[in-house]
Amino acid sequence: MNLKQLSELLQLSQTTVSRALNGYPEVAEATRRRVLEAAQRYGYKPNSNARKLATGRAGSIGYVLPVGRNVDLDPHFVEFLSGLGEHALTREVDLSLTPAPRERESEAYRRIAASRSVDGIYLSSMRNDERRIALVRELGLPFVAHGRSLMPAEGYAFVDIDNEGAFHDAARLLLQLGHTRLAFINGDTDFTFAVHRLDGVTRAMAAHGLPAETLKHHSAAMNEDNGYRLAMMLFRDADAATRPTGVLSASMFMTLGIVRAFNQLGLKMPQDVSIITHDDVFPFLKPESFTVPLSTTRSSIRAAGARICERLVNIITGAETGEVQEIWPVDLIVRASTGPAPSARKPGRRGAEQAAE
Protein backbone atom coordinates (compact mmCIF):
# COMPACT_ATOMS: atom_id res chain seq x y z
CA MET A 1 0.00 0.00 0.00
CA ASN A 2 1.33 3.42 -0.92
CA LEU A 3 0.59 6.80 0.64
CA LYS A 4 -2.14 7.64 -1.86
CA GLN A 5 -3.99 4.38 -1.23
CA LEU A 6 -3.71 4.78 2.53
CA SER A 7 -5.04 8.35 2.26
CA GLU A 8 -8.03 7.23 0.16
CA LEU A 9 -8.79 4.41 2.60
CA LEU A 10 -8.84 6.83 5.55
CA GLN A 11 -10.55 9.60 3.53
CA LEU A 12 -7.81 12.02 4.54
CA SER A 13 -5.46 14.11 2.46
CA GLN A 14 -2.00 12.74 1.72
CA THR A 15 -0.54 15.73 3.56
CA THR A 16 -2.49 14.93 6.74
CA VAL A 17 -1.52 11.25 6.62
CA SER A 18 2.13 12.12 6.03
CA ARG A 19 2.13 14.62 8.88
CA ALA A 20 0.47 12.11 11.20
CA LEU A 21 3.04 9.44 10.37
CA ASN A 22 5.89 11.87 10.91
CA GLY A 23 4.71 13.20 14.26
CA TYR A 24 3.78 16.77 13.37
CA PRO A 25 2.16 18.45 16.42
CA GLU A 26 -0.65 20.11 14.48
CA VAL A 27 -2.27 16.73 13.79
CA ALA A 28 -4.93 15.80 16.35
CA GLU A 29 -3.99 12.88 18.57
CA ALA A 30 -7.08 10.90 17.59
CA THR A 31 -6.20 11.31 13.90
CA ARG A 32 -2.59 10.35 14.54
CA ARG A 33 -3.64 7.14 16.31
CA ARG A 34 -6.11 6.29 13.53
CA VAL A 35 -3.44 6.75 10.84
CA LEU A 36 -0.80 4.77 12.73
CA GLU A 37 -3.19 1.90 13.41
CA ALA A 38 -4.25 1.74 9.74
CA ALA A 39 -0.63 1.88 8.56
CA GLN A 40 0.21 -1.04 10.80
CA ARG A 41 -2.89 -3.03 9.86
CA TYR A 42 -2.37 -2.67 6.12
CA GLY A 43 1.42 -2.93 6.13
CA TYR A 44 2.17 0.59 4.96
CA LYS A 45 5.88 1.43 5.23
CA PRO A 46 6.91 4.98 4.33
CA ASN A 47 9.99 5.40 2.18
CA SER A 48 12.63 6.43 4.72
CA ASN A 49 14.65 8.52 2.27
CA ALA A 50 11.56 10.36 1.06
CA ARG A 51 10.51 10.94 4.65
CA LYS A 52 13.90 12.40 5.55
CA LEU A 53 13.74 14.72 2.55
CA ALA A 54 10.21 15.80 3.40
CA THR A 55 10.79 16.41 7.09
CA GLY A 56 14.45 17.40 7.15
CA ARG A 57 14.96 14.87 9.92
CA ALA A 58 17.35 11.94 10.23
CA GLY A 59 14.70 9.65 11.75
CA SER A 60 17.12 8.68 14.52
CA ILE A 61 17.85 9.50 18.15
CA GLY A 62 21.32 9.27 19.60
CA TYR A 63 23.28 8.32 22.69
CA VAL A 64 26.97 8.74 23.46
CA LEU A 65 27.96 5.37 24.85
CA PRO A 66 30.75 5.53 27.45
CA VAL A 67 33.55 3.06 26.79
CA GLY A 68 36.95 2.41 28.29
CA ARG A 69 38.83 0.26 30.74
CA ASN A 70 37.09 1.74 33.80
CA VAL A 71 33.55 1.70 32.37
CA ASP A 72 31.06 -1.03 33.31
CA LEU A 73 27.97 -1.31 31.11
CA ASP A 74 25.80 -2.99 33.69
CA PRO A 75 22.40 -4.69 33.25
CA HIS A 76 20.62 -1.47 34.31
CA PHE A 77 21.62 0.02 30.95
CA VAL A 78 20.54 -3.08 29.02
CA GLU A 79 17.11 -3.05 30.68
CA PHE A 80 16.73 0.69 30.01
CA LEU A 81 17.76 0.26 26.38
CA SER A 82 15.19 -2.50 25.93
CA GLY A 83 12.38 -0.16 26.93
CA LEU A 84 13.73 2.64 24.78
CA GLY A 85 14.07 0.35 21.77
CA GLU A 86 10.56 -1.04 22.12
CA HIS A 87 9.07 2.46 22.02
CA ALA A 88 11.39 3.57 19.19
CA LEU A 89 10.01 0.71 17.12
CA THR A 90 6.44 1.98 17.52
CA ARG A 91 7.52 5.46 16.38
CA GLU A 92 9.66 4.13 13.50
CA VAL A 93 12.72 5.82 14.94
CA ASP A 94 16.23 4.38 14.84
CA LEU A 95 18.73 4.44 17.69
CA SER A 96 22.29 5.56 17.02
CA LEU A 97 25.07 4.77 19.52
CA THR A 98 28.31 6.75 19.39
CA PRO A 99 31.02 5.15 21.55
CA ALA A 100 33.44 7.52 23.27
CA PRO A 101 35.77 7.46 26.30
CA ARG A 102 34.80 9.98 28.94
CA GLU A 103 37.76 12.27 28.20
CA ARG A 104 36.62 12.59 24.55
CA GLU A 105 32.89 12.85 25.21
CA SER A 106 32.57 16.47 24.06
CA GLU A 107 34.19 15.56 20.73
CA ALA A 108 31.52 12.92 20.19
CA TYR A 109 28.68 15.39 20.76
CA ARG A 110 30.26 17.91 18.40
CA ARG A 111 30.68 15.23 15.73
CA ILE A 112 27.02 14.21 16.09
CA ALA A 113 25.87 17.82 15.76
CA ALA A 114 28.06 18.49 12.73
CA SER A 115 26.95 15.36 10.88
CA ARG A 116 23.25 15.88 11.67
CA SER A 117 23.05 12.12 11.97
CA VAL A 118 20.40 12.24 14.71
CA ASP A 119 17.45 14.48 15.49
CA GLY A 120 18.03 14.52 19.24
CA ILE A 121 19.89 12.77 22.02
CA TYR A 122 19.28 11.56 25.53
CA LEU A 123 21.66 11.99 28.44
CA SER A 124 22.04 9.51 31.28
CA SER A 125 24.27 8.86 34.32
CA MET A 126 23.83 12.46 35.41
CA ARG A 127 26.74 13.77 37.47
CA ASN A 128 26.57 16.33 40.27
CA ASP A 129 28.15 19.02 38.08
CA GLU A 130 26.71 18.14 34.67
CA ARG A 131 28.57 19.92 31.89
CA ARG A 132 26.94 18.08 28.99
CA ILE A 133 23.74 20.13 29.35
CA ALA A 134 25.46 23.39 28.42
CA LEU A 135 27.33 21.65 25.61
CA VAL A 136 24.31 20.13 23.84
CA ARG A 137 22.45 23.42 24.16
CA GLU A 138 25.37 25.23 22.56
CA LEU A 139 25.30 22.67 19.74
CA GLY A 140 21.54 23.06 19.25
CA LEU A 141 20.79 19.38 19.90
CA PRO A 142 17.30 18.62 21.26
CA PHE A 143 17.68 16.44 24.34
CA VAL A 144 16.05 14.90 27.38
CA ALA A 145 17.88 13.59 30.46
CA HIS A 146 17.38 10.33 32.30
CA GLY A 147 18.05 11.55 35.82
CA ARG A 148 19.02 15.02 36.97
CA SER A 149 22.01 16.96 38.17
CA LEU A 150 22.70 18.98 41.29
CA MET A 151 24.09 21.75 39.07
CA PRO A 152 22.14 22.77 37.10
CA ALA A 153 19.11 21.43 38.94
CA GLU A 154 16.51 23.11 36.70
CA GLY A 155 15.95 24.42 33.22
CA TYR A 156 15.98 21.21 31.20
CA ALA A 157 13.66 18.29 30.47
CA PHE A 158 14.23 15.11 32.42
CA VAL A 159 12.67 11.89 33.69
CA ASP A 160 13.86 10.72 37.10
CA ILE A 161 12.68 8.67 40.06
CA ASP A 162 12.31 9.95 43.60
CA ASN A 163 15.58 8.50 44.85
CA GLU A 164 15.53 10.55 48.03
CA GLY A 165 11.97 9.56 48.88
CA ALA A 166 12.64 5.90 48.14
CA PHE A 167 15.59 5.59 50.49
CA HIS A 168 13.96 7.80 53.11
CA ASP A 169 11.06 5.35 53.27
CA ALA A 170 13.37 2.34 53.32
CA ALA A 171 15.50 3.78 56.13
CA ARG A 172 12.40 4.83 58.07
CA LEU A 173 11.09 1.26 57.96
CA LEU A 174 14.33 -0.08 59.42
CA LEU A 175 14.28 2.60 62.12
CA GLN A 176 10.66 1.79 62.99
CA LEU A 177 11.75 -1.82 63.41
CA GLY A 178 14.27 -0.74 66.04
CA HIS A 179 17.43 -0.66 63.92
CA THR A 180 19.69 2.12 65.16
CA ARG A 181 22.95 0.80 63.68
CA LEU A 182 22.50 1.30 59.94
CA ALA A 183 24.83 0.77 57.00
CA PHE A 184 24.30 2.07 53.47
CA ILE A 185 26.19 0.48 50.57
CA ASN A 186 25.55 3.15 47.98
CA GLY A 187 26.36 3.83 44.34
CA ASP A 188 29.11 6.22 43.30
CA THR A 189 28.36 9.62 44.87
CA ASP A 190 29.85 11.42 41.85
CA PHE A 191 26.39 10.74 40.41
CA THR A 192 23.36 12.68 41.63
CA PHE A 193 21.10 9.67 42.21
CA ALA A 194 23.49 8.41 44.91
CA VAL A 195 23.60 11.83 46.61
CA HIS A 196 19.80 11.97 46.68
CA ARG A 197 19.62 8.47 48.16
CA LEU A 198 22.08 9.39 50.90
CA ASP A 199 20.03 12.52 51.64
CA GLY A 200 16.93 10.37 52.05
CA VAL A 201 18.63 8.03 54.53
CA THR A 202 20.10 10.83 56.66
CA ARG A 203 16.78 12.70 56.67
CA ALA A 204 15.02 9.61 58.06
CA MET A 205 17.74 9.21 60.68
CA ALA A 206 17.45 12.85 61.74
CA ALA A 207 13.70 12.42 62.24
CA HIS A 208 14.52 9.55 64.65
CA GLY A 209 17.15 11.53 66.51
CA LEU A 210 20.16 9.76 65.00
CA PRO A 211 23.07 11.91 63.75
CA ALA A 212 24.24 11.30 60.20
CA GLU A 213 27.73 10.46 61.51
CA THR A 214 26.43 7.19 62.96
CA LEU A 215 25.58 5.87 59.47
CA LYS A 216 28.21 3.53 58.04
CA HIS A 217 28.14 4.79 54.47
CA HIS A 218 30.23 3.43 51.60
CA SER A 219 29.92 4.21 47.89
CA ALA A 220 31.22 2.35 44.85
CA ALA A 221 30.25 1.18 41.37
CA MET A 222 27.13 -0.99 41.65
CA ASN A 223 28.30 -4.54 41.04
CA GLU A 224 28.48 -7.82 42.92
CA ASP A 225 32.21 -7.61 43.72
CA ASN A 226 31.85 -4.24 45.43
CA GLY A 227 28.82 -5.42 47.38
CA TYR A 228 30.77 -8.43 48.66
CA ARG A 229 33.91 -6.41 49.46
CA LEU A 230 32.10 -3.69 51.37
CA ALA A 231 29.88 -6.13 53.28
CA MET A 232 32.93 -8.14 54.37
CA MET A 233 34.62 -4.93 55.49
CA LEU A 234 31.57 -3.96 57.56
CA PHE A 235 30.82 -7.33 59.14
CA ARG A 236 33.84 -9.63 59.12
CA ASP A 237 35.62 -8.23 62.21
CA ALA A 238 32.68 -6.57 63.98
CA ASP A 239 31.07 -8.16 67.04
CA ALA A 240 27.34 -8.52 67.56
CA ALA A 241 27.21 -5.46 69.82
CA THR A 242 28.67 -3.02 67.27
CA ARG A 243 27.97 -4.33 63.79
CA PRO A 244 25.07 -2.89 61.73
CA THR A 245 21.71 -4.60 62.13
CA GLY A 246 20.08 -2.85 59.16
CA VAL A 247 21.57 -2.52 55.66
CA LEU A 248 20.43 -0.46 52.69
CA SER A 249 21.78 -1.46 49.28
CA ALA A 250 21.74 0.67 46.13
CA SER A 251 21.34 -2.23 43.70
CA MET A 252 20.26 -5.84 43.36
CA PHE A 253 23.69 -6.56 41.88
CA MET A 254 25.45 -5.18 44.94
CA THR A 255 23.06 -7.22 47.05
CA LEU A 256 24.19 -10.43 45.36
CA GLY A 257 27.64 -9.78 46.84
CA ILE A 258 26.25 -8.65 50.20
CA VAL A 259 24.20 -11.82 50.60
CA ARG A 260 27.22 -13.90 49.60
CA ALA A 261 29.19 -12.22 52.40
CA PHE A 262 26.37 -12.84 54.89
CA ASN A 263 26.33 -16.53 53.98
CA GLN A 264 30.08 -16.85 54.43
CA LEU A 265 29.94 -15.10 57.80
CA GLY A 266 26.96 -17.15 59.01
CA LEU A 267 24.65 -14.12 59.31
CA LYS A 268 20.93 -14.85 58.94
CA MET A 269 18.34 -12.52 57.44
CA PRO A 270 16.43 -11.02 59.20
CA GLN A 271 17.42 -12.59 62.56
CA ASP A 272 20.93 -11.08 62.58
CA VAL A 273 20.63 -8.37 59.92
CA SER A 274 17.83 -6.87 57.86
CA ILE A 275 18.36 -5.60 54.33
CA ILE A 276 16.43 -3.48 51.82
CA THR A 277 17.72 -3.19 48.26
CA HIS A 278 16.77 -1.31 45.09
CA ASP A 279 15.63 -2.45 41.60
CA ASP A 280 13.54 -5.59 41.72
CA VAL A 281 12.59 -5.19 38.07
CA PHE A 282 15.03 -7.51 36.30
CA PRO A 283 13.36 -10.58 34.76
CA PHE A 284 16.54 -12.60 35.33
CA LEU A 285 17.14 -11.52 38.96
CA LYS A 286 14.03 -11.58 41.08
CA PRO A 287 14.01 -10.76 44.82
CA GLU A 288 11.75 -13.77 45.46
CA SER A 289 14.46 -16.06 44.05
CA PHE A 290 16.83 -15.43 46.94
CA THR A 291 16.82 -17.93 49.82
CA VAL A 292 15.23 -15.16 51.88
CA PRO A 293 13.01 -12.98 49.63
CA LEU A 294 14.36 -9.43 49.60
CA SER A 295 12.55 -6.26 50.61
CA THR A 296 13.01 -3.71 47.84
CA THR A 297 12.36 -0.24 46.55
CA ARG A 298 11.02 -0.62 43.02
CA SER A 299 10.73 1.47 39.86
CA SER A 300 10.74 0.10 36.32
CA ILE A 301 13.91 0.90 34.37
CA ARG A 302 12.34 -0.49 31.19
CA ALA A 303 9.36 1.86 31.55
CA ALA A 304 11.77 4.77 32.04
CA GLY A 305 13.51 3.87 28.77
CA ALA A 306 10.19 3.88 26.92
CA ARG A 307 9.22 7.21 28.46
CA ILE A 308 12.55 8.83 27.57
CA CYS A 309 12.09 7.78 23.94
CA GLU A 310 8.49 9.00 23.87
CA ARG A 311 9.38 12.40 25.28
CA LEU A 312 12.45 12.86 23.11
CA VAL A 313 10.49 12.15 19.92
CA ASN A 314 7.79 14.57 21.11
CA ILE A 315 10.42 17.25 21.76
CA ILE A 316 11.92 16.71 18.29
CA THR A 317 8.55 16.96 16.55
CA GLY A 318 7.34 19.89 18.64
CA ALA A 319 4.55 17.92 20.33
CA GLU A 320 6.22 18.69 23.67
CA THR A 321 7.43 22.17 24.50
CA GLY A 322 8.86 23.65 27.66
CA GLU A 323 11.24 21.98 30.08
CA VAL A 324 9.07 19.43 31.83
CA GLN A 325 10.68 17.76 34.84
CA GLU A 326 9.14 14.40 35.60
CA ILE A 327 9.84 12.62 38.92
CA TRP A 328 8.33 9.17 39.43
CA PRO A 329 7.35 7.83 42.86
CA VAL A 330 9.02 4.61 44.02
CA ASP A 331 7.29 1.66 45.67
CA LEU A 332 8.54 0.01 48.85
CA ILE A 333 7.91 -3.74 48.80
CA VAL A 334 8.29 -5.46 52.19
CA ARG A 335 9.38 -9.09 52.11
CA ALA A 336 11.10 -11.51 54.48
CA SER A 337 14.57 -9.90 54.57
CA THR A 338 13.42 -7.20 57.01
CA GLY A 339 12.42 -7.76 60.61
CA PRO A 340 12.83 -6.24 64.07
CA ALA A 341 16.34 -5.40 65.22
CA PRO A 342 17.80 -8.18 67.39
CA SER A 343 17.58 -6.00 70.52
CA ALA A 344 14.01 -4.92 69.68
CA ARG A 345 12.62 -8.37 68.92
CA LYS A 346 9.73 -9.34 71.20
CA PRO A 347 7.58 -12.47 71.36
CA GLY A 348 4.44 -12.18 69.27
CA ARG A 349 5.57 -9.20 67.24
CA ARG A 350 4.57 -9.46 63.61
CA GLY A 351 7.75 -7.88 62.25
CA ALA A 352 8.16 -5.72 59.21
CA GLU A 353 4.50 -5.73 58.23
CA GLN A 354 3.50 -4.30 61.63
CA ALA A 355 6.03 -1.46 61.31
CA ALA A 356 4.97 -0.75 57.75
CA GLU A 357 1.36 -0.33 58.89
Side-chain angles (χ1 to χ4, degrees):
M1 177 171 287
N2 59 34
L3 180 64
K4 180 181 179 182
Q5 291 168 327
L6 182 62
S7 303
E8 291 173 349
L9 177 71
L10 292 167
Q11 296 184 328
L12 295 170
S13 70
Q14 292 186 43
T15 300
T16 298
V17 171
S18 177
R19 287 178 178 272
L21 291 168
N22 289 297
Y24 280 81
E26 57 265 32
V27 178
E29 185 59 32
T31 302
R32 188 193 320 280
R33 284 199 302 268
R34 182 178 163 222
V35 170
L36 290 173
E37 288 169 1
Q40 185 175 15
R41 185 182 310 121
Y42 296 105
Y44 171 76
K45 293 292 182 184
N47 181 290
S48 60
N49 290 328
R51 182 173 61 183
K52 289 173 185 178
L53 287 171
T55 63
R57 300 192 194 119
S60 180
I61 59 176
Y63 178 66
V64 174
L65 180 69
V67 296
R69 184 173 299 176
N70 298 320
V71 174
D72 291 326
L73 289 180
D74 63 29
H76 298 88
F77 175 74
V78 176
E79 187 72 4
F80 176 87
L81 202 61
S82 296
L84 187 145
E86 288 168 1
H87 189 81
L89 184 63
T90 69
R91 302 292 291 266
E92 295 190 338
V93 171
D94 294 328
L95 176 63
S96 174
L97 299 180
T98 302
R102 178 164 173 76
E103 63 271 15
R104 299 181 61 184
E105 205 172 42
S106 62
E107 294 178 29
Y109 286 108
R110 293 184 187 281
R111 190 165 65 250
I112 289 169
S115 67
R116 300 181 66 185
S117 56
V118 302
D119 301 310
I121 59 168
Y122 76 91
L123 307 176
S124 68
S125 301
M126 304 297 283
R127 293 181 174 268
N128 299 329
D129 182 8
E130 188 51 74
R131 300 178 181 181
R132 291 175 297 176
I133 293 171
L135 175 61
V136 296
R137 279 184 171 148
E138 173 195 332
L139 296 171
L141 286 169
F143 75 97
V144 64
H146 180 215
R148 49 192 152 141
S149 174
L150 297 180
M151 295 182 296
E154 299 179 347
Y156 56 95
F158 67 69
V159 176
D160 198 8
I161 65 170
D162 186 5
N163 282 292
E164 181 177 345
F167 278 76
H168 170 271
D169 292 349
R172 181 177 61 183
L173 174 60
L174 292 176
L175 292 162
Q176 289 172 340
L177 289 167
H179 297 274
T180 56
R181 300 196 301 271
L182 298 184
F184 183 16
I185 298 179
N186 196 4
D188 186 344
T189 50
D190 284 343
F191 298 97
T192 307
F193 78 88
V195 175
H196 285 159
R197 291 178 182 184
L198 179 58
D199 289 345
V201 174
T202 55
R203 180 162 61 90
M205 292 175 65
H208 280 73
L210 292 176
E213 295 76 24
T214 64
L215 175 69
K216 295 185 182 298
H217 175 252
H218 298 277
S219 64
M222 296 186 297
N223 56 50
E224 181 179 0
D225 287 345
N226 282 333
Y228 174 79
R229 176 179 60 83
L230 293 172
M232 291 298 284
M233 184 177 70
L234 283 166
F235 288 90
R236 181 171 46 202
D237 299 322
D239 58 38
T242 60
R243 72 191 179 206
T245 63
V247 175
L248 297 149
S249 170
S251 163
M252 287 281 286
F253 299 100
M254 279 186 144
T255 304
L256 281 170
I258 295 169
V259 171
R260 177 157 58 96
F262 287 171
N263 291 337
Q264 286 189 15
L265 297 171
L267 297 173
K268 304 295 184 183
M269 299 183 294
Q271 294 89 337
D272 300 314
V273 58
S274 291
I275 186 168
I276 302 176
T277 186
H278 184 66
D279 288 338
D280 71 348
V281 294
F282 298 102
F284 50 85
L285 183 62
K286 296 182 179 296
E288 300 91 345
S289 300
F290 285 71
T291 305
V292 177
L294 298 174
S295 294
T296 58
T297 54
R298 178 174 66 189
S299 183
S300 173
I301 302 171
R302 186 178 289 252
R307 181 60 175 155
I308 287 287
C309 182
E310 178 184 25
R311 289 195 56 192
L312 182 53
V313 172
N314 288 343
I315 289 169
I316 291 166
T317 61
E320 177 181 323
T321 58
E323 295 159 340
V324 179
Q325 301 187 335
E326 198 171 320
I327 301 176
W328 293 5
V330 179
D331 297 325
L332 175 60
I333 312 298
V334 179
R335 299 187 181 90
S337 68
T338 47
S343 60
R345 194 172 289 116
K346 297 178 181 178
R349 187 166 181 178
R350 289 190 295 127
E353 290 82 1
Q354 179 176 345
E357 291 170 0

